[in-house]
Each structure stands twice: as C-alpha cells, then as structure tokens.
C-alpha cells in the first residue's frame, strides 16, 4: 500500500520528469497521472489485464513502445502474434535445477488428499490448497481440520485487507504454517521453494492459463513438485472441460507455457473479435479472408510486400490429413488445417512440424504426407505455378504467369513434357498412382532447373 502523500509525490515526479522509472499497478492509467516523456511500457503478467485496460495503458503516450510478458498469453494476444500484428519472442530455457511438476487429474478423494498433504509435511515442505471461490474456503477449512488436524492451515483471499494478506503470505513464506488455503490470488508473484505440493479444488472452474500459473507455484526448489487437479466426485465432466484439464496433464514439462496457450487458442478461439457479437463487417467477408487482409496490411506496415502469394492447389489421390486418432478434437483439427493453409515458408512449416510432435506425439504417415504436400506447394509457388493436377497417367500443370521464352525452351527439352492448351503436361515413365510425392518432387526439380540461368 502507498499512502496519499507518497502517491502525490510520485505523480508530481512523473509529470515533471524527475522520476525516470515507475513500477505500479493499473493505477498508472488513472486520471490525474501524467508523464513528461513516456517511451517504454512493460506489462508483466499480461494475461491478468483486460483488453480495455491494456488499451488505456497503451494510450498513455503518443509514441509508446510496449513490451508485454506472460508465461501463458491469452488466446487473443496469441492470435495477434500469429497474424503478425504483434511480434513475439519466446524464452524456453528454464531456471537451473528446476524440475517438471508432476500433474495428476482425478476426482476429489479424502484419503488421497490427506496422503498428499502428509507426504509433503513429512519431507519438510508446505502445501497450497486452492479453491475457485471465497465462499468455498470455510467448507474446505473445516474439512482440512478433520483430515489433517496436526497441520496448521493459513487462509488468504482477495477480500482481506492488503496489510493482513501481505503479512499472512510473508509469514507462510518464512515457514509459518503447513497449508495455505487460498483463492487464485496466489497464481503469480509467489516464490516459496519449500512449497512443493498444490491441490486445486474444482479445477474445472479454472481456465487453462490459470491452472498453468497455479502449477508454477510449486516445484521452484530442488524437490519434486506435485499438482493435483481435483474435480467434483461423481460428476461427469463436459468434453471441452476434460480436454482443457487433460492438456495440463499431457504438457507438464518445463517451458510448456506457449504450447499450453496454443492449445487454449485451439479450444476457445481468439475471442469476440471473431465472434458474431463484435465481428461487424468481419463476419460478412469471412474470417479466412479477414486474416489474409490483416496479414497483408501488417506486412505493408512493416515495409514488406503488399501482395500475398497464394499457394497453388496440388490435387492428388492421397494428400494426407490430420486423422482423428492423432488429433481427437474436431475443433483443434480444423484450427491446424487453417494454420497450415496460411503458411508460406519452409521455416514456418518446420516449426509447425516440431510443434505437432511436441503436442501430439510422433507424426503418423498421413500427417507426414500432408506436410510434404504443403512443402511442395511452397516450392511450386516460387516457380509461378497456380495448379497441379495429378492423374493416373499424367500430371497437368497450370502457370500463374506465362514463363519466359528461355524457360519454355528449356522445358521442351525435358523428356516426358508436352504443352497443350496453355498447360504443361508431364507423362512419367511409370503410372503416378504409386509414388506420387516422389514424382512431384522430381517434376518440380526439373521446372526449377529450367528456370536456372545458363
């Protein structure tokens, strides 16, 4: 807490320019706060700020550089980064000697909860017990009193006075108390190395980013950390909820925050910007076209080319897919197809392949074929092709722009090539029903050689 006298001094110093750096909450965007020459804004834990508040902060100065930081960026922010509106930098290196937190998803069981809390107590550590609502604290406090009467339980929540809350947390960090019973108010800012077990009651009522942040409160020392995501016993979870919670269990390694955020984006979408309520003209032109126009506008703003290159269609019998056995959720499969369709460089495709293997496991043959076809589409786009149709006897190629006379002349000298009605027809020595990708790869290589000078 900052008193009124000190607050007034800080405001005067910011207005005059005598204070160069200020660290504060959203209060820096309040009325009556003015800056002499604000040049850099850093928003830490960006996921805890609303869109309206972040816009107010960015409006503090006309030419303001903004750096937002978060272990789990919200879907809207991640979507803006993917679209190219915001630049993104990823730090994946965990602190030294940090170990992944073992994550368990299960219905609440009194015996298991007691065993987890006593195990942490016996190895000289402390535990967190997190509930979704302040109203739940009293019930859980009484239950903990029956389960583990020998353990000292401290309570922390947002309706406490600031000084009281601060004193409780500081004393708990100093070792006073065995269990901190709290709401999600503890999800960021706490560094208590001796607290290495966390139980989250009614985990289905928390968001994916919230749960990842809460899990990050443990495992900050040398001991193995444990996170128990507890659901209501006897109650069946909705499919979307189970998918959200299962993502935490599957992605429990260090540095998985961005991958979890991508999964959150897949599950929830990018927010009301693309929804019916706030879409406005966007829903009239379609999300796909809107994103292409947005990407092109971003490219122009960064000094890049104004026209986006449409990858050519390659029509063949087995073009690959994301099978349901590999990516079970239909909404996530659709999102992956959409992202793959918008890619235009080999580096993006390689990073996408690494992400797939990271999130879903080893890449099956159907997905490998899909990625290879996309790679060939990128190569074909560089050569000016607009469409490639593969049949059992021949391959027909349509050019976006007519090749130069030298390229035509070089292509005429390639065995199996002929021209018909403005299209290039290639008849391979063997039928294209088998080994289509190999034939296409060789064909594109021949067209590339025809473009080569000399």
């Amino acid at each position: 807490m900052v008193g009124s006298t000190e607050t007034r001094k800080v405001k005067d110093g910011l207005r005059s320019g005598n204070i160069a750096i200020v660290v504060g909450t959203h209060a820096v965007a309040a009325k009556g706060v003015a800056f002499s020459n604000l040049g850099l804004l850093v928003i830490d834990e960006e996921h805890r700020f609303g869109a309206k508040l972040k816009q107010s902060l960015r409006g503090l100065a006309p030419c303001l550089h903004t750096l937002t930081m978060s272990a789990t960026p919200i879907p809207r922010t991640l979507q803006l980064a993917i679209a190219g509106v915001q630049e993104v930098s990823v730090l994946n290196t965990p602190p030294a000697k940090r170990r992944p937190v073992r994550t368990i998803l299960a219905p609440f069981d009194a015996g298991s909860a007691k065993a987890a809390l006593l195990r942490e107590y016996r190895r000289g550590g402390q535990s967190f017990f997190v509930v979704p609502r302040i109203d739940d604290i009293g019930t859980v406090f009484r239950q903990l009193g029956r389960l583990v009467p020998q353990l000292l339980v401290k309570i922390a929540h947002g309706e406490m006075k600031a000084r009281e809350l601060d004193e409780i947390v500081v004393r708990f960090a100093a070792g006073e108390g065995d269990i901190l019973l709290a709401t999600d108010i503890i999800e960021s800012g706490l560094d208590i190395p001796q607290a290495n077990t966390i139980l989250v009651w009614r985990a289905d009522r928390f968001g994916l980013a919230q749960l990842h942040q809460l899990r990050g409160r443990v495992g900050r020392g040398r001991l193995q950390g444990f996170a128990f995501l507890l659901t209501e016993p006897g109650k069946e979870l909705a499919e979307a909820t189970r998918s959200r919670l299962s993502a935490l269990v599957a992605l429990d390694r260090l540095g998985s925050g961005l991958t979890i955020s991508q999964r959150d984006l897949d599950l929830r979408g990018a927010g009301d910007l693309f929804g019916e309520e706030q879409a406005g003209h966007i829903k009239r032109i379609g999300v796909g076209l809107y994103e292409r126009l947005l990407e092109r506008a971003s490219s122009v703003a960064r000094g890049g080319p104004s026209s986006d290159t449409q990858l050519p269609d390659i029509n063949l019998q087995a073009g690959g897919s994301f099978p349901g056995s590999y990516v079970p959720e239909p909404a996530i499969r659709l999102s992956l197809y959409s992202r793959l369709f918008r890619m235009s460089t080999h580096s993006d495709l390689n990073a996408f392949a690494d992400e797939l293997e990271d999130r879903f496991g080893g890449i099956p043959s159907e997905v490998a074929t899909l990625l290879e076809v996309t790679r060939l589409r990128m190569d074909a786009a560089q050569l000016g092709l607009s469409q490639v149709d593969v049949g059992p006897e021949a391959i027909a190629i349509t050019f976006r722009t007519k090749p130069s006379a030298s390229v035509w002349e070089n292509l005429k000298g390639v065995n199996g090539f002929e021209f018909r009605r403005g299209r290039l027809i290639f008849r391979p020595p063997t039928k294209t029903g088998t080994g289509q990708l190999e034939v296409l790869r060789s064909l594109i290589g021949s067209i590339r050689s025809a473009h080569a000078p000399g």
Side-chain angles (χ1 to χ4, degrees):
M1 294 289 290
V2 178
S4 57
T5 302
E6 186 176 352
T7 300
R8 186 164 50 253
K9 289 181 179 179
V10 172
K11 288 182 178 180
D12 293 340
L14 293 175
R15 188 179 297 107
S16 64
N18 291 330
I19 295 179
I21 300 175
V22 61
V23 179
T25 63
H26 59 278
V28 298
K31 293 182 179 179
V33 179
F35 295 86
S36 172
N37 185 22
L38 182 62
L40 174 64
L41 169 68
V42 180
I43 303 177
D44 193 18
E45 303 292 355
E46 179 256 356
H47 61 278
R48 296 183 66 89
F49 291 78
K52 185 176 181 181
L53 177 56
K54 283 186 287 189
Q55 190 61 35
S56 299
L57 290 170
R58 291 188 179 101
L60 291 174
C63 298
L64 184 62
H65 296 281
T66 304
L67 171 64
T68 60
M69 299 188 297
S70 174
T72 51
I74 60 175
R76 183 190 294 270
T77 301
L78 192 60
Q79 175 70 10
L80 292 174
I82 292 174
V85 176
Q86 290 186 197
E87 294 183 1
V88 61
S89 178
V90 181
L91 299 177
N92 281 325
T93 305
K97 299 181 181 180
R98 182 75 63 86
R99 302 173 64 181
V101 178
R102 185 179 176 190
T103 307
I104 299 97
L105 171 63
F108 176 80
D109 175 73
S112 299
K114 178 180 179 179
L117 294 170
L118 288 178
R119 181 182 58 216
E120 185 61 48
Y121 173 73
R122 292 190 184 108
R123 66 176 181 173
Q126 297 170 288
S127 301
F128 296 111
F129 200 115
V130 181
V131 296
R133 303 178 307 172
I134 295 177
D135 294 342
D136 299 323
I137 288 181
T139 302
V140 174
F141 180 79
R142 289 188 292 272
Q143 190 166 17
L144 289 175
R146 293 191 297 269
L147 287 177
V148 284
Q150 66 272 49
L151 303 187
L152 178 60
V153 180
K154 295 291 186 177
I155 295 176
H157 58 77
E159 288 187 357
M160 290 181 167
K161 294 182 178 180
R163 292 188 183 278
E164 180 186 5
L165 177 61
D166 183 65
E167 184 177 355
I168 289 174
V169 173
V170 169
R171 287 187 175 182
F172 184 77
E176 184 178 311
D178 303 305
I179 303 172
L180 183 64
L181 174 59
T183 59
D184 63 348
I185 193 173
I186 68 164
E187 77 175 59
S188 60
L190 285 187
D191 186 8
I192 306 177
Q194 66 270 24
N196 287 295
T197 293
I198 184 169
L199 292 85
V200 183
W201 164 241
R202 292 304 306 271
D204 51 296
R205 294 189 175 184
F206 293 87
L208 196 53
Q210 276 184 308
L211 291 172
H212 181 64
Q213 293 281 348
L214 287 169
R215 180 171 64 180
R217 296 311 97 207
V218 298
R220 305 179 74 85
R222 297 185 178 183
L223 295 179
Q224 175 67 60
F226 294 90
F228 295 87
L229 308 181
L230 307 176
T231 60
E232 192 172 356
K235 183 176 181 180
E236 188 69 24
L237 297 177
E239 182 179 349
T241 303
R242 181 164 293 278
S243 296
R244 185 174 76 248
L245 297 178
S246 298
L248 266 295
V249 178
L251 300 170
D252 62 352
R253 70 196 180 284
L254 297 174
S256 61
L258 184 61
T259 306
I260 289 174
S261 298
Q262 290 171 334
R263 187 66 176 267
D264 202 16
L265 175 61
D266 288 337
L267 292 171
R268 291 202 291 150
D272 288 338
L273 176 63
F274 300 115
E276 291 186 357
E277 293 185 2
Q278 297 183 27
H281 65 282
I282 296 175
K283 68 180 180 181
R284 295 180 179 273
I285 66 174
V287 173
L289 177 57
Y290 170 78
E291 289 189 340
R292 283 175 55 194
L293 294 174
L294 182 61
E295 185 176 359
R296 184 169 63 181
S298 300
S299 177
V300 173
R302 293 192 299 265
S306 60
S307 60
D308 51 347
T309 302
Q310 178 70 35
L311 295 185
D313 293 326
I314 295 183
N315 302 311
L316 68 168
Q317 296 174 4
S321 64
F322 292 111
S325 58
Y326 186 60
V327 184
E329 295 87 351
I332 296 180
R333 291 202 302 273
L334 182 62
S335 173
L336 294 175
Y337 280 121
S338 177
R339 288 179 55 193
L340 186 63
F341 180 77
R342 295 196 302 269
M343 290 181 186
S344 59
T345 66
H346 284 188
S347 60
D348 290 342
L349 187 62
N350 293 336
F352 183 68
D354 292 340
E355 178 192 328
L356 290 177
E357 192 165 6
D358 202 27
R359 294 172 62 183
F360 306 106
I363 294 178
S365 58
E366 301 96 322
V367 178
T369 299
L370 181 62
L371 297 178
E372 180 61 21
V373 170
T374 304
R375 194 179 305 277
L376 291 174
R377 292 178 66 208
M378 294 174 181
D379 294 338
Q382 294 177 352
L383 298 173
L385 311 186
S386 63
Q387 187 168 324
V388 179
D389 298 299
V390 181
E393 301 291 338
I395 300 174
I397 301 167
T398 305
F399 289 88
R400 180 173 287 108
T401 57
K402 186 176 179 180
S404 64
S406 61
V407 172
W408 280 116
E409 195 62 32
N410 291 337
L411 288 175
K412 288 179 182 179
V414 178
N415 185 31
F417 280 14
E418 62 178 276
F419 297 96
R420 187 184 305 166
R421 297 178 182 176
R423 294 200 300 173
L424 180 66
I425 307 298
F426 174 66
R427 298 186 183 277
T430 58
K431 291 187 177 182
T432 62
T434 58
Q436 291 182 343
L437 292 179
E438 291 77 7
V439 173
L440 273 176
R441 201 178 294 115
S442 176
L443 174 61
I444 290 176
S446 298
I447 298 176
R448 183 182 289 108
S449 299
H451 280 73

